[in-house]
Amino acid sequence: MSDLKEICSGLPLNPLPPNRGRDPSVPHAPIRTPNLSAEEQRVALRNALRYFPSPLHSTLAPEFAQELRQYGHIYMYRFCPTLRLRAYPIDQYPCRTRQAAAMMLMIMNNLDPAVAQFPQELVTYGGNGQVFSNWAQFRLVMHYLSEMTEEQTLVMYSGHPMGLFPSLPSSPRAIITNGMVIPNYSSRDQYEKMFALGVSMYGQMTAGSYCYIGPQGIVHGTLLTVLNAGRRYLGSGDLRGRVFVTSGLGGMSGAQAKAAVIAGCVGVIAEVDEAPLRKRHEQGWLMEVTSSLEQCIKRIREAKKSKTPLSLGYHGNVVDLWERLLLEFERTGELLVDLGSDQTSLHNPYNGGYYPTQLSFRQANQLMTMDPERFRTVVQESLRSHVEAINKLSDAGMFFWDYGNAFLLEAQRAGAEVQKIGGGATEFRYPSYVQHIMGDIFSLGFGPFRWVCTSGDSQDLAVTDDIAATVLEDISASVSDRIKQQYSDNIHWIREAGKHKMVVGSQARILYSDQKGRICIALAINQAIADGRVSAPVVISRDHHDVSGTDSPFRETSNVYDGSAFCADMAVQNFVGDAFRGATWVALHNGGGVGWGEVINGGFGLLLDGTEEAAKRAKLMLSWDVSNGVARRCWSGNLNAYETIQRTMEENRQLRVTMPFAVQDERVLDRALQG
């Protein structure tokens, strides 16, 4: 395709493309407030101009300076392609290696307007999850990938392509790092400056690693969370007539509507921004929309009575919704909500991740730019009101959990009553879904495994769905009772996945699987490619939110109690180990989920092309990618992880893990410390 060839030909300099500015037809990121000094503004402008020959500086400098003043960042809108960015089939990319073409497809998917939250600002999800920092970087990366051979590796520094460097055919084709900042300088304020300067970037999780697959990527995890919350708190996985209230319909949180319906419950999701709400409704993920609290209450009662699954989007502030539900309880004694959570982007509370109830959406966007300190105060006031309503409903019998989006962390910082009496550093009044609801699945080796059919053909996806279901059914016949429910849930999910029409963007699928399941699925799909049952290569990947991929003391590692919850060796080791065991590309990020400076996480992509080499890589890399985290959790004292890694060692005699000896008698410690 000539348009793809143009995108892959490098920066268009002679002539320069016209500067069309922002496209008013797509949503845009909130204006950033980096508070740069005059000298820092000069540095930011100088840094942006170094992508271009000096004769062009006099033309580009004024518009880049205007972007910096107006939007708080230099996005280089002039160089945003006119071609609709999407996951074109793999054989349409001009390149020398299919590994490079696979990465190009994944990058294009992350920036597809149907997928991306703010496509022109290169934000995929989470309000600030960048794929790149500016459009010059995008064009250079696509050019490098089109020229890459199997003896080169693309090196990425926080969105910036440092270049192609000689390597081995067995090496990754790309090494990506995002936000690798010296720890003492990894603060939010410093981040805003570094991003404005163009020297660092917040890649969220799968935004900056090119592995996002649309909101489907979190639907399955959200479904399992809601089902397991019902089992744990309500005593049943049958959620008909039960009401789940939450907030957020963005790139990740948008999954909540679909998950609620699949789970069979009544899902009521508040969203202040009309654009994502409208997008989810048009995509069929959201059944109904209303801006009336009275209509919300009416529809909740109707759906509860009829036990009809419903996803209802409330266009308004979630605090108002919680307070209205509380008022209804106080008036009538009727508790209309059974389960509650929150998925506002509180990793980014003061720059569009959380909208306070005191202000309209427009007023909030204005205040966060004009008076950031006042906005911070208003956000914290809103969080206190938010928690107060939740606490009262919880006291009345509602079950609330933290979804790992830093909601309770930021509420605590705002002075809300979320502390757990006698709790540890990572514990709050309400549990994290990782700590309680998901049943410690990471220690059992289960996590969000995913794949993308690079043909773009839905028939290939259907074939791989059937392969995955068959593989899991075969394995489940001989698994222990401890993990049989996990297999049962995932077999049901994958058998039903096609009819729920969850594909947005690339032809992708996700399911939760353990080490054995992932390896067997990957090998079976690879064989299907070799046999011609699947028409083109398949990229396998996972969310960074996984067994080994993320060190996050308020989410993924919140149930690590040996004092190492704030250590990041696991995620870093995983990144390195995946790289030399066969990954096509690897990524390591600061931030993601709970925010900048709060987490280190990493991910990978691996191309299955039907060859024996691909099978060897998949088996070796996936084994490490799961066992690393299980071993760490075992060493921390987790009994599920102990049993899981013990069983894995029995199956693979080359694996030898240092096993802990637990203190059997606590009085030994008492006597030693008293002495």
Side-chain angles (χ1 to χ4, degrees):
M1 291 178 65
S2 59
D3 285 333
L4 281 176
K5 288 180 180 178
E6 185 273 323
I7 283 178
C8 296
S9 64
L11 284 167
L13 303 177
N14 188 21
L16 287 171
N19 182 14
R20 296 176 301 276
R22 280 184 159 192
D23 180 354
S25 69
V26 298
H28 290 283
I31 296 169
R32 311 192 74 92
T33 53
N35 296 319
L36 299 183
S37 67
E39 182 54 35
E40 287 168 337
Q41 291 176 37
R42 294 179 67 85
V43 173
L45 189 55
R46 186 183 298 117
N47 288 349
L49 290 171
R50 60 187 167 178
Y51 286 102
F52 306 94
S54 55
L56 298 177
H57 289 183
S58 60
T59 300
L60 297 175
E63 69 186 58
F64 288 174
Q66 178 61 24
E67 287 185 18
L68 185 62
R69 284 191 297 269
Q70 191 169 354
Y71 307 121
H73 188 75
I74 300 172
Y75 295 105
M76 306 184 186
Y77 291 112
R78 178 191 287 268
F79 297 96
C80 179
T82 55
L83 174 70
R84 160 70 187 271
L85 302 187
R86 65 177 182 86
Y88 293 95
I90 192 170
D91 59 5
Q92 295 186 15
Y93 297 93
C95 61
R96 299 180 179 181
T97 166
R98 279 196 157 182
Q99 292 180 329
M103 282 187 279
M104 296 161 94
L105 180 152
M106 300 291 278
I107 289 169
M108 294 280 277
N109 186 67
N110 272 23
L111 294 170
D112 182 343
V115 173
Q117 185 179 13
F118 305 125
Q120 280 207 305
E121 288 74 48
L122 304 106
V123 171
T124 300
Y125 70 92
N128 59 354
Q130 304 283 150
V131 187
F132 303 105
S133 180
N134 59 58
W135 286 104
Q137 293 175 347
F138 164 79
R139 287 182 176 270
L140 285 173
V141 166
M142 296 297 282
H143 178 61
Y144 279 134
L145 290 172
S146 71
E147 296 290 318
M148 172 189 286
T149 72
E150 292 192 357
E151 293 184 337
Q152 290 174 305
T153 292
L154 176 63
V155 177
M156 297 294 302
Y157 281 29
S158 289
H160 169 67
M162 192 57 70
L164 293 173
F165 290 77
S167 61
L168 299 170
S170 59
S171 303
R173 297 281 70 82
I175 301 285
I176 304 160
T177 53
N178 285 309
M180 291 293 105
V181 173
I182 305 301
N184 277 354
Y185 303 91
S186 188
S187 68
R188 282 189 184 135
D189 290 343
Q190 289 282 5
Y191 165 71
E192 291 295 340
K193 284 184 180 290
M194 286 185 279
F195 182 59
L197 293 173
V199 297
S200 196
M201 190 183 85
Y202 186 71
Q204 262 285 355
M205 290 190 162
T206 51
S209 66
Y210 321 146
C211 292
Y212 188 66
I213 60 169
Q216 179 194 174
I218 198 173
V219 169
H220 187 31
T222 306
L223 170 64
L224 292 177
T225 300
V226 174
L227 286 175
N228 285 329
R231 291 166 182 154
R232 183 179 181 95
Y233 297 137
L234 306 177
S236 173
D238 182 357
L239 298 180
R240 289 174 296 177
R242 298 290 196 168
V243 177
F244 170 49
V245 172
T246 182
S247 61
L249 285 166
M252 299 297 278
S253 55
Q256 297 179 107
K258 179 71 79 172
V261 172
I262 297 173
C265 68
V266 179
V268 184
I269 306 98
E271 172 60 64
V272 294
D273 186 353
E274 186 179 7
L277 186 142
R278 186 172 60 248
K279 178 189 282 190
R280 298 299 169 224
H281 190 235
E282 291 171 353
Q283 290 172 340
W285 286 56
L286 193 61
M287 295 166 65
E288 298 179 17
V289 173
T290 182
S291 58
S292 165
L293 285 169
E294 293 305 316
Q295 178 68 7
C296 275
I297 299 301
K298 178 174 180 289
R299 290 297 291 126
I300 288 172
R301 283 202 168 99
E302 291 172 348
K304 273 178 70 72
K305 183 177 181 179
S306 65
K307 296 189 175 181
T308 304
L310 171 68
S311 57
L312 173 63
Y314 168 58
H315 183 207
N317 197 291
V318 70
V319 182
D320 297 334
L321 177 59
W322 283 123
E323 291 180 340
R324 182 66 181 81
L325 288 164
L326 176 60
L327 179 62
E328 198 67 22
F329 172 72
E330 291 173 341
R331 282 177 177 172
T332 68
E334 183 181 11
L335 184 63
L336 291 175
V337 54
D338 300 286
L339 301 171
S341 191
D342 186 277
Q343 278 201 44
T344 47
S345 297
L346 270 157
H347 66 274
N348 181 34
Y350 307 120
N351 197 46
Y354 182 89
Y355 283 82
T357 186
Q358 307 95 311
L359 303 172
S360 69
F361 183 65
R362 181 186 296 274
Q363 289 170 335
N365 280 326
Q366 291 173 341
L367 187 62
M368 74 176 71
T369 303
M370 303 302 294
D371 191 348
E373 286 306 311
R374 173 60 185 153
F375 183 73
R376 180 185 295 260
T377 299
V378 174
V379 164
Q380 292 184 333
E381 290 172 355
S382 181
L383 279 168
R384 291 194 290 272
S385 298
H386 195 154
V387 168
E388 183 179 1
I390 288 170
N391 286 349
K392 290 179 179 178
L393 287 165
S394 178
D395 289 341
M398 178 191 73
F399 296 94
F400 185 88
W401 68 87
D402 183 276
Y403 215 104
N405 59 332
F407 172 68
L408 293 180
L409 180 62
E410 288 302 327
Q412 181 186 57
R413 290 168 176 168
E417 295 183 9
V418 295
Q419 68 274 16
K420 179 180 179 180
I421 305 302
T426 63
E427 294 180 290
F428 297 99
R429 172 174 178 164
Y430 303 105
S432 159
Y433 75 115
V434 173
Q435 285 173 308
H436 287 249
I437 297 168
M438 294 299 274
D440 199 24
I441 60 167
F442 290 159
S443 296
L444 296 170
F446 282 83
F449 181 61
R450 57 179 60 170
W451 62 90
V452 176
C453 297
T454 66
S455 64
D457 187 344
S458 60
Q459 182 57 35
D460 277 349
L461 184 60
V463 171
T464 58
D465 281 350
D466 186 63
I467 288 170
T470 302
V471 164
L472 294 184
E473 286 166 350
D474 289 345
I475 297 173
S476 68
S478 58
V479 299
S480 67
D481 291 341
R482 186 185 295 272
I483 62 175
K484 192 171 285 291
Q485 184 68 61
Q486 295 290 342
Y487 268 87
S488 176
D489 285 346
N490 280 281
I491 291 166
H492 179 73
W493 159 265
I494 202 69
R495 286 295 187 198
E496 297 287 307
K499 77 177 187 180
H500 289 297
K501 296 181 172 58
M502 290 178 292
V503 169
V504 177
S506 59
Q507 292 292 323
R509 188 68 75 221
I510 185 171
L511 60 78
Y512 273 57
S513 185
D514 59 1
Q515 179 175 317
K516 187 173 185 178
R518 298 184 206 203
I519 293 171
C520 291
I521 291 170
L523 295 180
I525 290 175
N526 192 61
Q527 187 60 50
I529 297 166
D531 296 343
R533 288 178 289 138
V534 174
S535 67
V538 171
V539 173
I540 59 171
S541 182
R542 57 163 171 76
D543 197 343
H544 297 199
H545 164 69
D546 196 15
V547 180
S548 309
T550 298
D551 282 296
S552 179
F554 297 101
R555 194 164 76 175
E556 285 81 357
T557 48
S558 60
N559 62 345
V560 171
Y561 300 118
D562 69 343
S564 70
F566 293 91
C567 300
D569 299 82
M570 179 179 73
V572 175
Q573 287 280 359
N574 220 67
F575 162 80
V576 175
D578 284 354
F580 67 74
R581 286 180 174 86
T584 306
W585 71 94
V586 290
L588 185 68
H589 298 182
N590 171 12
V594 294
W596 182 265
E598 305 284 359
V599 50
I600 298 293
N601 64 89
F604 72 87
L606 194 157
L607 186 69
L608 301 176
D609 59 5
T611 62
E612 291 184 9
E613 174 66 17
K616 180 180 177 181
R617 287 174 178 238
K619 185 174 182 179
L620 188 62
M621 199 219 74
L622 289 172
S623 296
W624 158 256
D625 195 65
V626 177
S627 284
N628 171 40
V630 178
R632 182 270 178 97
R633 294 165 195 277
C634 165
W635 185 246
S636 77
N638 187 291
L639 293 179
N640 284 336
Y642 188 102
E643 293 176 9
T644 302
I645 204 68
Q646 186 74 52
R647 186 172 61 251
T648 307
M649 285 193 287
E650 292 169 2
E651 295 171 353
N652 184 354
R653 293 298 178 182
Q654 287 187 298
L655 176 66
R656 298 179 64 186
V657 172
T658 305
M659 304 295 280
F661 294 96
V663 173
Q664 301 295 331
D665 185 353
E666 290 290 320
R667 291 173 297 179
V668 171
L669 305 182
D670 295 336
R671 288 193 295 268
L673 293 170
Q674 289 169 3

